[in-house]
Amino acid sequence: MEPREVLEFAKKNKTVMIDLKFMDFPGLWQHFSVPLHELDEDAFEAGFGFDGSSIRGWQPIHASDMLVVPDPDTAVMDPFMAVPTLSLICNIVDPITKERYSRDPRNIAQKAEAYLKYTGVGDTAYFGPEAEFFIFDDVRFAYGANRSFHQIDSVEAWWNTARDESPNLGYKLRYKEGYFPVPPSDSQQDIRTEVVMIMESLGIVVEAQHHEVATAGQGEIDMRFSPLVKMADNLMWFKYILKNVAKRHCMTVTFMPKPLYEDNGSGMHTHISLWKGDKPLFAGDKYAGLSQEALWAAGGILKHAPGLCALCNPTTNSYKRLVPGFEAPVNLAYSSRNRSAAIRIPMYSPSPKTKRLEYRTPDPSCNGYLAFSAILMAALDGIEKKMDPGEPLDKDIYALSPEELANVPSTPGDLSEALKALEQDQEFLLKGDVFTQDAIDMWLEYKKEKELDPMRSRPHPYEFALYFDC
């Protein structure tokens, strides 16, 4: 839409408030609202002021004034506000220089799309994330100097088979048996469908929704692929809608990769393909129907995967999912159909238009703008430098001998290792000024000071079981 069309759209929908949404650095939406009379065509250039020092990972207190500038193409009616409210996703601008802010994740994603066109390799990068999640009935957690605990609950969880539920009907999902059961065992079908209906009302096309493998309400809703920035916008809407629909039902949602012990975690398998005009660049006559460019792109992603983990698996909890020996894709190899490899080539359709790489390592705790941009930059680096991805891993990873397995590199063992990898491997991100040095340095600093250091200094509850009697 043009600014004029946004104002007409607002009037048509009897808008009372304008909600201005933007992304903080770690990956959560922030917002503030203004009455409709504050929005005019000039606001789409002049923006609205706010305190950037109060946003995680952003400005220091002595340079805190920032602007949010609404993107007119993102205008939709917010489906959850009590009064008619027009939602606009915003870009962040420095009020003095009028330049886009280097730590605005959406700015980084837009620069990644521009860099793709600059290289001449292609003009569109399509992304399709499969973001898994848990819908719980209750969550409680606390940490103090002398105690810590967390407790989650779900009516369909296997641990509740003996609970007095007046009556307990017994339809509980056994551990690791949550994939595709019908209701009543799948107790959240209608909730997921409600999410799908709201997403589609906002123009987000959904391909499927289903229960996932774990007990206790693990699910997945798959969006149809879109260009990088648009898909990152859609991912934020997806999280927002899912959390608010769950709240309507007195339930809660988490995108934590590993909230449960001894059951599957939540990943975000991310499909990527590059196009030039109407030509799919990843289709060809090489392995699994891929082009040479696609194999080089896979080589770039695999080479940079340890550093990518700092952005695609950015929490300490991420590495409780990425554990060798289980189903998580920790093996830095590629394969057709083999889901234990970090990159899978889906073989559902022979059409060249469907040919893509599925990077299976990321998880939904990531900031989509940063993660998708980093994956694209790694793929482009692979194409530019013609990186050989090596031989495909078509064997059963669990049947490999220790000697064979030793030749397959794996993802970092924890967030600290991933951040070290990013420190040592970041040149590919800096190309085209897509990620600035300032942005990367702040990411590393924030993760170390706000997440790693606090975790290191706190005793873990299980340590008492291991060591209290030492």
Side-chain angles (χ1 to χ4, degrees), residues 150 196 281 365 377 412 434:
H150 75 271
V196 170
L281 299 180
S365 68
M377 296 302 287
V434 173

Side-chain angles (χ1 to χ4, degrees), residues 458-470:
R458 285 168 166 79
H460 189 286
Y462 194 60
E463 289 177 315
F464 285 82
L466 293 173
Y467 308 126
F468 187 76
D469 60 349
C470 63

